Amino acid sequence: MKTLNRIAAITASAALLTGGGVWLHEKAQAKDRPAYHTVQVEKGDIESTVTATGNLAAVRTVQVGTQVSGQVSQIDVDFNQHVAKGQLLATIDPTLARQAVADAQASLDRSLAELGAAQKNADRNKALVDEGLIPRATYDDLASQAAVARANVSSARVAVDRARQNLAYTEIHSPIDGVVVERNVDVGQTVAASLAAPQLFLIANDLSQMQIVVSVDESDIASIREGQPVRFTVQARPSERFTGKVEQVRLKSTTTENVVSYDVVVSAQNPDGKLLPGMTARVEFLVDSAKDVFKVATAALRFHPQGEATSGTAANNERRPRTGSRTSTTTNTTTTTGAARPRPGQLWTVDGAGRLTAIRVRTGISDGVMTAVSGDGLEAGLQVVTGLEKSEATTASAAASPLQPQRAGGGGMRGPGGF
């Protein structure tokens, strides 16, 4: 009986030791098994866009200047005021202009008097010439003097018209209906129009219709076309998103620090007046979109295993890249116009035993973060690998590597004379 009990105890101890060994072995294997970062495959919509910045402005603005010099004696409008076409905006002191009109009128009167006297003298001498009492040459001189007086009258009339026009220019009127955006003068300020007409006011025609001039890099300009839908935001209203469309793609290029760009004009409605001239807009040009498709983080398409355990036919047939090589799997960028051309790609899943399985997919458009994918075996919620987690052993190995820089103290390199 004692012998049987002893055999049973030995058998139980052996089973316990065997089970413990298996448990410890599995635990050691689980500890050595690499850990992965994973993300889910999602189902939804995705858009491909080109992003750029620009400034809001009125569609039509007019710089109102002056054609005469003088001191500003009166200002009738101010900032943000609505004005009608022909409305008086400001007045330049008309004193000198009125004196010029009076002087020109006096010159005209004098010329008219001289013309009358010369014409009468010529008419009297014409009768004497006909009777042969004076020579013909004398009459010709008198007729010439009358013609010169007549020309002086015409010149004097032009001078009067010019002086009156300059007097009219002392009153600055609005050339269009609009809103005063800028007022650059004050009463008492002297303006000089000798070289160039100074800008007194800037008037925007209609602020309910705005435009954005956006600078787009040459690498993205092929994706922009007239009529293309646009979304944009402004810093003053970050929670609101506005819409517009491409009105014009200008052919003139600009080169800044060896970067070539083109101006794109975007039109936008502003019925509520929320958009103001000069605001900075962050513009998104919608290049392509896909509805109700599978999409995954772009990082998952860049992952390739480096010697980890894999399973599945696709994994066995897949050629492994060398350590340090970069994956050739890429996604379509926003520089492609029209629909994105599908490209081959590969996703990796991990089972409970830590083995990787490859899933072949076709990639579609990308928004820079997510990429559209299609293929067999895809479903919403599927976990795919984006990379390896850094374990303590990996961190310690990297710290002990002679190719990594060492920190001072605590195992780092010592000074001369010590190891």
Side-chain angles (χ1 to χ4, degrees):
M1 187 67 180
K2 292 183 179 179
T3 303
L4 292 176
N5 290 338
R6 184 177 302 173
I7 293 174
I10 293 173
T11 303
S13 299
L16 181 62
L17 291 174
T18 302
V22 172
W23 179 80
L24 291 174
H25 179 69
E26 291 181 351
K27 184 177 180 181
Q29 284 187 333
K31 185 176 181 180
D32 294 337
R33 188 179 301 157
Y36 299 98
H37 284 293
T38 61
V39 294
Q40 289 186 353
V41 175
E42 302 177 10
K43 190 76 175 290
D45 303 336
I46 190 170
E47 294 179 342
S48 177
T49 59
V50 169
T51 304
T53 58
N55 293 100
L56 284 157
V59 175
R60 182 189 177 194
T61 57
V62 177
Q63 298 178 356
V64 181
T66 175
Q67 293 181 267
V68 295
S69 302
Q71 189 178 70
V72 179
S73 61
Q74 179 181 334
I75 293 180
D76 297 278
V77 296
D78 204 351
F79 289 95
N80 303 337
Q81 184 172 335
H82 289 265
V83 295
K85 183 178 180 179
Q87 181 177 338
L88 182 64
L89 304 179
T91 303
I92 296 176
D93 186 7
T95 302
L96 296 179
R98 288 172 180 167
Q99 291 175 353
V101 170
D103 184 55
Q105 185 63 49
S107 297
L108 175 59
D109 295 340
R110 183 171 57 253
S111 296
L112 288 172
E114 291 175 353
L115 173 60
Q119 188 63 50
K120 289 179 181 179
N121 195 15
D123 292 341
R124 282 195 304 268
N125 284 274
K126 187 176 186 304
L128 297 176
V129 169
D130 294 340
E131 296 177 0
L133 299 177
I134 61 174
R136 186 72 183 181
T138 301
Y139 170 74
D140 291 341
D141 291 339
L142 295 175
S144 178
Q145 293 176 6
V148 171
R150 194 176 297 109
N152 289 338
V153 169
S154 298
S155 179
R157 285 197 175 112
V158 172
V160 170
D161 291 340
R162 183 186 302 110
R164 288 175 178 171
Q165 187 62 57
N166 286 335
L167 177 60
Y169 285 152
T170 59
E171 293 183 347
I172 312 300
H173 297 270
S174 175
I176 60 172
D177 297 333
V179 180
V180 178
V181 178
E182 293 183 18
R183 177 175 65 81
N184 301 318
V185 291
D186 292 300
V187 174
Q189 184 175 341
T190 300
V191 292
S194 57
L195 299 178
Q199 177 181 310
L200 306 185
F201 302 92
L202 181 65
I203 299 179
N205 183 26
D206 184 11
L207 293 182
S208 64
Q209 178 74 24
M210 304 290 285
Q211 70 176 14
I212 312 171
V213 180
V214 187
S215 180
V216 179
D217 290 345
E218 63 174 330
S219 59
D220 296 328
I221 197 62
S223 302
I224 311 301
R225 60 190 182 277
E226 292 186 4
Q228 188 173 3
V230 168
R231 297 189 301 258
F232 66 93
T233 58
V234 294
Q235 294 181 359
R237 300 178 181 272
S239 61
E240 295 187 52
R241 179 171 290 188
F242 303 91
T243 60
K245 66 176 182 178
V246 176
E247 195 72 24
Q248 184 184 54
V249 180
R250 293 178 178 172
L251 302 180
K252 185 181 182 301
S253 63
T254 303
T255 304
T256 305
E257 296 181 355
N258 295 326
V259 177
V260 180
S261 59
Y262 295 83
D263 287 340
V264 177
V265 180
V266 174
S267 62
Q269 299 294 326
N270 186 31
D272 300 329
K274 295 179 179 180
L275 303 175
L276 303 180
M279 282 184 171
T280 300
R282 186 178 184 273
V283 181
E284 291 183 347
F285 300 90
L286 181 59
V287 177
D288 198 1
S289 63
K291 303 293 184 181
D292 196 30
V293 296
F294 289 113
K295 57 183 180 179
V296 69
T298 306
L301 293 165
R302 300 194 186 104
F303 173 76
H304 270 249
Q306 303 295 328
E308 288 82 1
T310 58
S311 65
T313 305
N316 296 332
N317 295 334
E318 183 69 21
R319 186 180 66 178
R320 301 280 183 83
R322 293 176 297 175
T323 303
S325 64
R326 298 180 61 182
T327 174
S328 60
T329 302
T330 58
T331 57
N332 287 37
T333 63
T334 56
T335 58
T336 304
T337 57
R341 183 178 63 184
R343 297 182 180 181
Q346 190 168 251
L347 297 174
W348 294 86
T349 61
V350 59
D351 59 16
R355 292 177 299 181
L356 295 174
T357 303
I359 301 177
R360 294 183 181 275
V361 296
R362 303 286 290 179
T363 64
I365 65 174
S366 173
D367 61 5
V369 178
M370 305 290 288
T371 300
V373 291
S374 61
D376 297 334
L378 290 177
E379 60 180 12
L382 177 66
Q383 296 286 338
V384 293
V385 179
T386 60
L388 282 169
E389 290 185 356
K390 290 184 178 180
S391 63
E392 294 181 1
T394 303
T395 305
S397 176
S401 173
L403 299 180
Q404 297 292 334
Q406 303 296 319
R407 295 179 299 176
M413 295 182 66
R414 301 183 180 180
F419 295 92

PDB file of all heavy atoms in Angstrom, residues 85-110:
ATOM      1  N   LYS A  85     -22.519 105.542 -56.682  1.00  0.00           N
ATOM      2  CA  LYS A  85     -21.742 106.087 -57.789  1.00  0.00           C
ATOM      3  C   LYS A  85     -22.055 107.576 -57.956  1.00  0.00           C
ATOM      4  O   LYS A  85     -23.216 107.976 -58.006  1.00  0.00           O
ATOM      5  CB  LYS A  85     -22.068 105.329 -59.074  1.00  0.00           C
ATOM      6  CG  LYS A  85     -21.253 105.791 -60.265  1.00  0.00           C
ATOM      7  CD  LYS A  85     -21.580 104.964 -61.498  1.00  0.00           C
ATOM      8  CE  LYS A  85     -20.753 105.426 -62.693  1.00  0.00           C
ATOM      9  NZ  LYS A  85     -21.038 104.618 -63.902  1.00  0.00           N
ATOM     10  N   GLY A  86     -20.999 108.396 -58.014  1.00  0.00           N
ATOM     11  CA  GLY A  86     -21.157 109.836 -58.149  1.00  0.00           C
ATOM     12  C   GLY A  86     -21.248 110.588 -56.834  1.00  0.00           C
ATOM     13  O   GLY A  86     -21.279 111.828 -56.828  1.00  0.00           O
ATOM     14  N   GLN A  87     -21.278 109.874 -55.699  1.00  0.00           N
ATOM     15  CA  GLN A  87     -21.373 110.533 -54.402  1.00  0.00           C
ATOM     16  C   GLN A  87     -20.084 111.264 -54.071  1.00  0.00           C
ATOM     17  O   GLN A  87     -18.984 110.781 -54.352  1.00  0.00           O
ATOM     18  CB  GLN A  87     -21.699 109.504 -53.326  1.00  0.00           C
ATOM     19  CG  GLN A  87     -21.838 110.087 -51.920  1.00  0.00           C
ATOM     20  CD  GLN A  87     -22.234 109.036 -50.904  1.00  0.00           C
ATOM     21  OE1 GLN A  87     -22.797 107.995 -51.265  1.00  0.00           O
ATOM     22  NE2 GLN A  87     -21.960 109.299 -49.629  1.00  0.00           N
ATOM     23  N   LEU A  88     -20.212 112.445 -53.452  1.00  0.00           N
ATOM     24  CA  LEU A  88     -19.041 113.246 -53.074  1.00  0.00           C
ATOM     25  C   LEU A  88     -18.309 112.571 -51.919  1.00  0.00           C
ATOM     26  O   LEU A  88     -18.894 112.263 -50.885  1.00  0.00           O
ATOM     27  CB  LEU A  88     -19.480 114.652 -52.672  1.00  0.00           C
ATOM     28  CG  LEU A  88     -18.361 115.633 -52.285  1.00  0.00           C
ATOM     29  CD1 LEU A  88     -17.454 115.911 -53.481  1.00  0.00           C
ATOM     30  CD2 LEU A  88     -18.949 116.931 -51.737  1.00  0.00           C
ATOM     31  N   LEU A  89     -17.007 112.348 -52.110  1.00  0.00           N
ATOM     32  CA  LEU A  89     -16.191 111.718 -51.083  1.00  0.00           C
ATOM     33  C   LEU A  89     -15.358 112.730 -50.307  1.00  0.00           C
ATOM     34  O   LEU A  89     -15.255 112.650 -49.088  1.00  0.00           O
ATOM     35  CB  LEU A  89     -15.265 110.681 -51.728  1.00  0.00           C
ATOM     36  CG  LEU A  89     -15.917 109.586 -52.567  1.00  0.00           C
ATOM     37  CD1 LEU A  89     -14.856 108.671 -53.155  1.00  0.00           C
ATOM     38  CD2 LEU A  89     -16.921 108.790 -51.745  1.00  0.00           C
ATOM     39  N   ALA A  90     -14.755 113.663 -51.018  1.00  0.00           N
ATOM     40  CA  ALA A  90     -13.875 114.643 -50.377  1.00  0.00           C
ATOM     41  C   ALA A  90     -13.736 115.852 -51.299  1.00  0.00           C
ATOM     42  O   ALA A  90     -14.074 115.795 -52.494  1.00  0.00           O
ATOM     43  CB  ALA A  90     -12.512 114.045 -50.068  1.00  0.00           C
ATOM     44  N   THR A  91     -13.236 116.934 -50.739  1.00  0.00           N
ATOM     45  CA  THR A  91     -13.037 118.176 -51.503  1.00  0.00           C
ATOM     46  C   THR A  91     -11.649 118.709 -51.232  1.00  0.00           C
ATOM     47  O   THR A  91     -11.213 118.791 -50.072  1.00  0.00           O
ATOM     48  CB  THR A  91     -14.080 119.232 -51.120  1.00  0.00           C
ATOM     49  OG1 THR A  91     -15.393 118.704 -51.341  1.00  0.00           O
ATOM     50  CG2 THR A  91     -13.904 120.500 -51.952  1.00  0.00           C
ATOM     51  N   ILE A  92     -10.952 119.081 -52.306  1.00  0.00           N
ATOM     52  CA  ILE A  92      -9.654 119.750 -52.200  1.00  0.00           C
ATOM     53  C   ILE A  92      -9.886 121.242 -52.319  1.00  0.00           C
ATOM     54  O   ILE A  92     -10.710 121.690 -53.129  1.00  0.00           O
ATOM     55  CB  ILE A  92      -8.701 119.236 -53.292  1.00  0.00           C
ATOM     56  CG1 ILE A  92      -8.416 117.742 -53.055  1.00  0.00           C
ATOM     57  CG2 ILE A  92      -7.405 120.022 -53.314  1.00  0.00           C
ATOM     58  CD1 ILE A  92      -7.561 117.110 -54.110  1.00  0.00           C
ATOM     59  N   ASP A  93      -9.179 122.036 -51.531  1.00  0.00           N
ATOM     60  CA  ASP A  93      -9.362 123.494 -51.501  1.00  0.00           C
ATOM     61  C   ASP A  93      -9.418 124.052 -52.924  1.00  0.00           C
ATOM     62  O   ASP A  93      -8.443 123.970 -53.676  1.00  0.00           O
ATOM     63  CB  ASP A  93      -8.211 124.125 -50.737  1.00  0.00           C
ATOM     64  CG  ASP A  93      -8.424 125.622 -50.535  1.00  0.00           C
ATOM     65  OD1 ASP A  93      -9.512 126.104 -50.883  1.00  0.00           O
ATOM     66  OD2 ASP A  93      -7.501 126.285 -50.053  1.00  0.00           O
ATOM     67  N   PRO A  94     -10.577 124.624 -53.343  1.00  0.00           N
ATOM     68  CA  PRO A  94     -10.747 125.059 -54.723  1.00  0.00           C
ATOM     69  C   PRO A  94     -10.292 126.493 -54.998  1.00  0.00           C
ATOM     70  O   PRO A  94     -10.516 127.000 -56.105  1.00  0.00           O
ATOM     71  CB  PRO A  94     -12.262 124.936 -54.922  1.00  0.00           C
ATOM     72  CG  PRO A  94     -12.831 125.249 -53.580  1.00  0.00           C
ATOM     73  CD  PRO A  94     -11.834 124.770 -52.564  1.00  0.00           C
ATOM     74  N   THR A  95      -9.663 127.152 -54.044  1.00  0.00           N
ATOM     75  CA  THR A  95      -9.334 128.576 -54.219  1.00  0.00           C
ATOM     76  C   THR A  95      -8.457 128.803 -55.445  1.00  0.00           C
ATOM     77  O   THR A  95      -8.770 129.642 -56.313  1.00  0.00           O
ATOM     78  CB  THR A  95      -8.619 129.098 -52.961  1.00  0.00           C
ATOM     79  OG1 THR A  95      -9.458 128.911 -51.822  1.00  0.00           O
ATOM     80  CG2 THR A  95      -8.311 130.578 -53.115  1.00  0.00           C
ATOM     81  N   LEU A  96      -7.365 128.092 -55.540  1.00  0.00           N
ATOM     82  CA  LEU A  96      -6.456 128.284 -56.672  1.00  0.00           C
ATOM     83  C   LEU A  96      -7.111 127.878 -57.988  1.00  0.00           C
ATOM     84  O   LEU A  96      -6.890 128.517 -59.027  1.00  0.00           O
ATOM     85  CB  LEU A  96      -5.172 127.483 -56.453  1.00  0.00           C
ATOM     86  CG  LEU A  96      -4.318 127.896 -55.249  1.00  0.00           C
ATOM     87  CD1 LEU A  96      -3.092 126.995 -55.135  1.00  0.00           C
ATOM     88  CD2 LEU A  96      -3.885 129.357 -55.386  1.00  0.00           C
ATOM     89  N   ALA A  97      -7.931 126.849 -57.956  1.00  0.00           N
ATOM     90  CA  ALA A  97      -8.604 126.404 -59.180  1.00  0.00           C
ATOM     91  C   ALA A  97      -9.597 127.456 -59.652  1.00  0.00           C
ATOM     92  O   ALA A  97      -9.732 127.691 -60.860  1.00  0.00           O
ATOM     93  CB  ALA A  97      -9.295 125.075 -58.931  1.00  0.00           C
ATOM     94  N   ARG A  98     -10.312 128.109 -58.752  1.00  0.00           N
ATOM     95  CA  ARG A  98     -11.250 129.158 -59.146  1.00  0.00           C
ATOM     96  C   ARG A  98     -10.508 130.370 -59.724  1.00  0.00           C
ATOM     97  O   ARG A  98     -10.969 130.984 -60.697  1.00  0.00           O
ATOM     98  CB  ARG A  98     -12.083 129.573 -57.943  1.00  0.00           C
ATOM     99  CG  ARG A  98     -13.113 128.527 -57.535  1.00  0.00           C
ATOM    100  CD  ARG A  98     -13.777 128.876 -56.234  1.00  0.00           C
ATOM    101  NE  ARG A  98     -14.758 127.877 -55.831  1.00  0.00           N
ATOM    102  CZ  ARG A  98     -15.301 127.824 -54.620  1.00  0.00           C
ATOM    103  NH1 ARG A  98     -14.965 128.727 -53.685  1.00  0.00           N
ATOM    104  NH2 ARG A  98     -16.188 126.884 -54.329  1.00  0.00           N
ATOM    105  N   GLN A  99      -9.380 130.677 -59.125  1.00  0.00           N
ATOM    106  CA  GLN A  99      -8.587 131.782 -59.670  1.00  0.00           C
ATOM    107  C   GLN A  99      -8.080 131.444 -61.074  1.00  0.00           C
ATOM    108  O   GLN A  99      -8.034 132.319 -61.949  1.00  0.00           O
ATOM    109  CB  GLN A  99      -7.418 132.069 -58.735  1.00  0.00           C
ATOM    110  CG  GLN A  99      -7.831 132.664 -57.398  1.00  0.00           C
ATOM    111  CD  GLN A  99      -6.665 132.821 -56.442  1.00  0.00           C
ATOM    112  OE1 GLN A  99      -5.552 132.366 -56.711  1.00  0.00           O
ATOM    113  NE2 GLN A  99      -6.919 133.477 -55.301  1.00  0.00           N
ATOM    114  N   ALA A 100      -7.731 130.199 -61.285  1.00  0.00           N
ATOM    115  CA  ALA A 100      -7.274 129.804 -62.612  1.00  0.00           C
ATOM    116  C   ALA A 100      -8.408 129.932 -63.630  1.00  0.00           C
ATOM    117  O   ALA A 100      -8.184 130.317 -64.787  1.00  0.00           O
ATOM    118  CB  ALA A 100      -6.745 128.372 -62.569  1.00  0.00           C
ATOM    119  N   VAL A 101      -9.625 129.607 -63.219  1.00  0.00           N
ATOM    120  CA  VAL A 101     -10.765 129.752 -64.129  1.00  0.00           C
ATOM    121  C   VAL A 101     -10.986 131.228 -64.456  1.00  0.00           C
ATOM    122  O   VAL A 101     -11.220 131.597 -65.633  1.00  0.00           O
ATOM    123  CB  VAL A 101     -12.034 129.141 -63.495  1.00  0.00           C
ATOM    124  CG1 VAL A 101     -13.270 129.499 -64.325  1.00  0.00           C
ATOM    125  CG2 VAL A 101     -11.893 127.643 -63.377  1.00  0.00           C
ATOM    126  N   ALA A 102     -10.911 132.097 -63.452  1.00  0.00           N
ATOM    127  CA  ALA A 102     -11.110 133.530 -63.695  1.00  0.00           C
ATOM    128  C   ALA A 102     -10.030 134.086 -64.613  1.00  0.00           C
ATOM    129  O   ALA A 102     -10.306 134.900 -65.514  1.00  0.00           O
ATOM    130  CB  ALA A 102     -11.119 134.288 -62.361  1.00  0.00           C
ATOM    131  N   ASP A 103      -8.784 133.658 -64.401  1.00  0.00           N
ATOM    132  CA  ASP A 103      -7.685 134.134 -65.249  1.00  0.00           C
ATOM    133  C   ASP A 103      -7.866 133.654 -66.692  1.00  0.00           C
ATOM    134  O   ASP A 103      -7.648 134.400 -67.653  1.00  0.00           O
ATOM    135  CB  ASP A 103      -6.361 133.629 -64.677  1.00  0.00           C
ATOM    136  CG  ASP A 103      -5.170 134.150 -65.444  1.00  0.00           C
ATOM    137  OD1 ASP A 103      -5.043 135.383 -65.590  1.00  0.00           O
ATOM    138  OD2 ASP A 103      -4.377 133.319 -65.921  1.00  0.00           O
ATOM    139  N   ALA A 104      -8.276 132.407 -66.858  1.00  0.00           N
ATOM    140  CA  ALA A 104      -8.488 131.887 -68.210  1.00  0.00           C
ATOM    141  C   ALA A 104      -9.651 132.583 -68.887  1.00  0.00           C
ATOM    142  O   ALA A 104      -9.612 132.864 -70.101  1.00  0.00           O
ATOM    143  CB  ALA A 104      -8.745 130.381 -68.142  1.00  0.00           C
ATOM    144  N   GLN A 105     -10.689 132.930 -68.142  1.00  0.00           N
ATOM    145  CA  GLN A 105     -11.823 133.650 -68.730  1.00  0.00           C
ATOM    146  C   GLN A 105     -11.409 135.051 -69.162  1.00  0.00           C
ATOM    147  O   GLN A 105     -11.828 135.540 -70.231  1.00  0.00           O
ATOM    148  CB  GLN A 105     -12.961 133.713 -67.708  1.00  0.00           C
ATOM    149  CG  GLN A 105     -14.244 134.333 -68.248  1.00  0.00           C
ATOM    150  CD  GLN A 105     -14.843 133.527 -69.375  1.00  0.00           C
ATOM    151  OE1 GLN A 105     -14.997 132.309 -69.248  1.00  0.00           O
ATOM    152  NE2 GLN A 105     -15.188 134.185 -70.477  1.00  0.00           N
ATOM    153  N   ALA A 106     -10.569 135.706 -68.366  1.00  0.00           N
ATOM    154  CA  ALA A 106     -10.093 137.049 -68.740  1.00  0.00           C
ATOM    155  C   ALA A 106      -9.251 136.979 -70.014  1.00  0.00           C
ATOM    156  O   ALA A 106      -9.357 137.843 -70.898  1.00  0.00           O
ATOM    157  CB  ALA A 106      -9.280 137.644 -67.594  1.00  0.00           C
ATOM    158  N   SER A 107      -8.425 135.946 -70.122  1.00  0.00           N
ATOM    159  CA  SER A 107      -7.621 135.789 -71.336  1.00  0.00           C
ATOM    160  C   SER A 107      -8.522 135.558 -72.551  1.00  0.00           C
ATOM    161  O   SER A 107      -8.254 136.060 -73.656  1.00  0.00           O
ATOM    162  CB  SER A 107      -6.643 134.614 -71.178  1.00  0.00           C
ATOM    163  OG  SER A 107      -5.721 134.870 -70.137  1.00  0.00           O
ATOM    164  N   LEU A 108      -9.602 134.831 -72.353  1.00  0.00           N
ATOM    165  CA  LEU A 108     -10.530 134.607 -73.461  1.00  0.00           C
ATOM    166  C   LEU A 108     -11.205 135.917 -73.869  1.00  0.00           C
ATOM    167  O   LEU A 108     -11.341 136.205 -75.080  1.00  0.00           O
ATOM    168  CB  LEU A 108     -11.579 133.576 -73.044  1.00  0.00           C
ATOM    169  CG  LEU A 108     -12.695 133.308 -74.040  1.00  0.00           C
ATOM    170  CD1 LEU A 108     -12.125 132.813 -75.369  1.00  0.00           C
ATOM    171  CD2 LEU A 108     -13.717 132.318 -73.472  1.00  0.00           C
ATOM    172  N   ASP A 109     -11.625 136.694 -72.890  1.00  0.00           N
ATOM    173  CA  ASP A 109     -12.262 137.990 -73.216  1.00  0.00           C
ATOM    174  C   ASP A 109     -11.295 138.900 -73.967  1.00  0.00           C
ATOM    175  O   ASP A 109     -11.681 139.591 -74.929  1.00  0.00           O
ATOM    176  CB  ASP A 109     -12.734 138.672 -71.923  1.00  0.00           C
ATOM    177  CG  ASP A 109     -13.844 137.873 -71.236  1.00  0.00           C
ATOM    178  OD1 ASP A 109     -14.487 137.047 -71.921  1.00  0.00           O
ATOM    179  OD2 ASP A 109     -14.049 138.066 -70.025  1.00  0.00           O
ATOM    180  N   ARG A 110     -10.048 138.919 -73.542  1.00  0.00           N
ATOM    181  CA  ARG A 110      -9.060 139.753 -74.229  1.00  0.00           C
ATOM    182  C   ARG A 110      -8.849 139.284 -75.671  1.00  0.00           C
ATOM    183  O   ARG A 110      -8.761 140.082 -76.609  1.00  0.00           O
ATOM    184  CB  ARG A 110      -7.740 139.729 -73.466  1.00  0.00           C
ATOM    185  CG  ARG A 110      -6.672 140.628 -74.071  1.00  0.00           C
ATOM    186  CD  ARG A 110      -5.444 140.755 -73.155  1.00  0.00           C
ATOM    187  NE  ARG A 110      -4.867 139.457 -72.839  1.00  0.00           N
ATOM    188  CZ  ARG A 110      -4.976 138.876 -71.642  1.00  0.00           C
ATOM    189  NH1 ARG A 110      -5.661 139.479 -70.683  1.00  0.00           N
ATOM    190  NH2 ARG A 110      -4.426 137.711 -71.422  1.00  0.00           N
TER     191      ARG A 110
END
